[in-house]
Amino acid sequence: MRTALAIARKELSIYFTTPWAYAVFTAMVGISSFFFMGLLQTFKDVQEMAQAFGWGQMPPDTVAYRNLTDGVVVQLWGVILIVTLFVAPFLSMRLFAEEKRNKTFELLMTTPVSPLELVLGKYLGGLGIIGATLGLTIVFPLMLSAFGSSASGTVLEWPTVLLGYGAVLLWGATCMAVGMFISSLTESQMVAALLTFAVMLPWMLLRGLAQSAEEPVRSFINYLAFDAQLSNLLKGVLDLKALVFFFSVILFSLLLTHRTVEAQRWA
Amino acid sequence: MRTSSVGKILGALGLMFLLSSPFTLFFTSGSVALTAAKAVAGLVLLGVYFATHFQQFGQVATRRSSFFFGTSVLLGVVTLGGLVAVNYIAFKKNKSWDLTRAKLFTLAPQTSTTLGGLKEKVHALAFLPPSHPYYDTVEQLFRLYQAEAPEKFGYAFKDPQRNPDLAAKYQLKEGQATVVLVRGEGASASHTTLNTISEQELTNALIKLNAVGTQKVYFLTGHGEWPLESEPPAPGQPSDSLSELRKQLLQEGYTADELNLAGQKEVPRDAALVIIAGAKTPYTPPEVEALRQYLAAGGRMLYFAEASVEPKLDTLLAEYGVEVDKGIAADPQFNSGNPYVLVSMFYGEHELTRPLRQRKLNLEFPTARSLTVLRQGMAPGVTAQAVVLTSPFAWVETTPDADATPSDGEKSGQLTLVAAAMRDTKSAQDKRFDEARVVVVGDSEILLDPNWGHEANRNLVLNALGWATNQVEKITIRPPDREVSTLEIDRDMLDNIRFVSTDLLPLSLLGVGLAIWLSRRNK
């Protein structure tokens, strides 16, 4: 495990000393803040309208705007999930593909590092960088907490906010695991990024297919859809099955990566 | 082209056919035959690939890497199997924790109590097509109910277009989002329907279904009342029985039985309701006394009057504030081609007719007696109310066979056709319920099988039945909501937040990236 941590540390130091990571950070914060401001403006407009007419006169779809947690933060996490779908492939693409392209992968395989340690180390490094990227977005609820107000004094429902944030991190960790496996298959970083995106996007939107299917196919597809699994977590309901599902995808992706790396020794 | 190359192309096509066959079954055509044809074609083409590369496979099998490949595939399959099993268990036995402060996604305590008190398993059938916008919401609600009481609540979704027979069985309207709750199985199954699907409606429907299952409805006999089942009618003749009503009662969870009061001192204790449907000969004083005692102890009764006959129940009805007028109600304007066949859309303010008023249904009475709601001479604690009325142009025709025009001395104006009365019986001795309830309807023919198809009339009868037997107060579940929070910021502050989040923060990160790039470039 110590070797794996050392590899993770090395990976992180590489990430944080390349301008590429900062470009990704900037993109993540820039896009998120753009949506955050949009949501905040809508929230403010609906609240002003509700003050004038009363909540009883407001359309049913404005009920989410009664509070900042539902009206802004829960919706913001939904947006960040989509942004992560675009950002994560660019962070995961280099994990193995870069080593292969630079011909350092063979060198790595000759060192006394087991494939398991290598995979775990690389993944922990990737987890660190996606965690840092998504970590920046916590600044938005913090800002709301500083400027908002409510009768009880607590502006945001922090258990809901933090559970939603945990869901976003879990989603990021899953994207990194799948992305790392795809990165281990190719030496082209761009191919790795595009393939990761091509796999994760339809998987994320699988729920749309379920709309036209009947039971039990509907339930089956809904279970496999990332979107459906995340919806409860984002709303503030800790679902055991969602955790099991995400950890299963991560575990299986790590296993496949491990076998791909191990295959180099047997080729 | 070489055989192996052709084999490769065919093999790729075969793999494509095989892998896309589930897609054909579930998402495109839905045809099992087409899916099977695609899968078989895929397998054949893959077979061609293997046949053309047989020699190559033989060489690979001897290689060292083949062993690794084999063990990897095996390990992958075993792990996948294990994970599928764990996920299946997690799906079936899912545990969830509602972390919201107001427990927004947890069932109300009233619902948990109701589910716990169900005597029999209730099955919810949602008649919604998979594309319906409320499908997921309803499913989520059902899932919560099932998680709360898996052995007492089950559910299924049925597409009304694919299951027209089932939709017809429950008399569902096309395009209406409906949930049918069914309790029990086979002939003894009872059901109730609901159109608005919320926790409150669903729980109230469960309470209703749980309560009505044990209620016995007695139809009085012995005075020429309409029979529950009659001898088979002559060919081409309509059946003058109440068999359709009886069937409906069974479906609603009531037990219908006949009761002859002759020689009886009292109405049986298990009577949830007594119905007098078109009595034509007078009741004897002991029979009237038995009914009087029954009502005084909180009994419930529906009285459907018959034209031109007097069953000598007028004194008893007068105690409950209702008098049946002599003659037949007529209306020159609101009728269906005959002044005695009244059409009414005039409802009093009463919960019994609220659903009819909301749906703007027209009632139709073949030959109705009008009623007078009394203001004095009633038994203590009685309040009576007009529920359905004629138009303001109606009159009571005392000689219907002679003429069909209003004459001097005949009552005219807006007449009452249905009245409802209540009596406080909390302090009654040996009481049945805290409140006696009586509904008097001016026409009994609306109950007959040939007239049972008239939707508005059927609704009136069933609503009257529901109101009269109602022993369970509806519960109110206030939908929980998060606390209202506001954002007290002015325009300047909003601009500052915008500046920090969309400008300062991204630029700072970009600046750090630029600094690193420049410093690395200068090294």
Side-chain angles (χ1 to χ4, degrees), chain A residues 17 22 33 66-68 70 149 152 157 211 214 218 221 223 232 235-236 238-241 248 259, chain B residues 27 68 72 87 94-97 99 101 130 135 140 162 481-483 485-486 489 501 516 520:
Chain A
T17 50
Y22 292 90
S33 59
R66 283 170 66 90
N67 61 78
L68 282 165
D70 281 333
S149 66
S152 69
E157 267 196 42
Q211 303 300 322
E214 282 205 69
R218 189 189 181 97
I221 297 172
Y223 189 82
N232 268 354
K235 286 189 295 190
L238 179 56
D239 240 349
L240 191 64
K241 71 173 167 54
S248 300
R259 299 315 288 173
Chain B
F27 304 118
F68 171 76
S72 292
N87 277 270
N94 185 38
K95 283 289 270 183
S96 59
W97 295 269
L99 302 186
R101 194 186 297 151
Y135 192 105
Q140 205 164 14
R162 291 191 185 189
D481 197 8
R482 291 193 213 269
E483 187 188 18
S485 55
T486 54
I489 48 171
S501 60
I516 287 171
R520 286 181 63 155

Side-chain angles (χ1 to χ4, degrees), chain A residues 9-26:
Chain A
R9 215 173 298 129
K10 186 193 137 246
E11 283 294 322
L12 280 174
S13 70
I14 292 173
Y15 270 120
F16 282 109
T17 50
T18 50
W20 176 238
Y22 292 90
V24 173
F25 291 161
T26 308

Side-chain angles (χ1 to χ4, degrees), chain B residues 37-92:
Chain B
K38 266 183 86 173
V40 168
L43 283 172
V44 168
L45 292 175
L46 273 176
V48 171
Y49 169 74
F50 283 116
T52 51
H53 292 76
F54 186 73
Q55 210 172 359
Q56 213 174 326
F57 281 117
Q59 286 167 0
V60 169
T62 58
R63 278 189 209 153
R64 189 170 156 263
S65 58
S66 303
F67 172 72
F68 171 76
F69 180 73
T71 51
S72 292
V73 168
L74 192 68
L75 184 65
V77 169
V78 169
T79 311
L80 193 62
L83 291 175
V84 167
V86 170
N87 277 270
Y88 182 75
I89 294 166
F91 176 70
K92 284 284 172 195

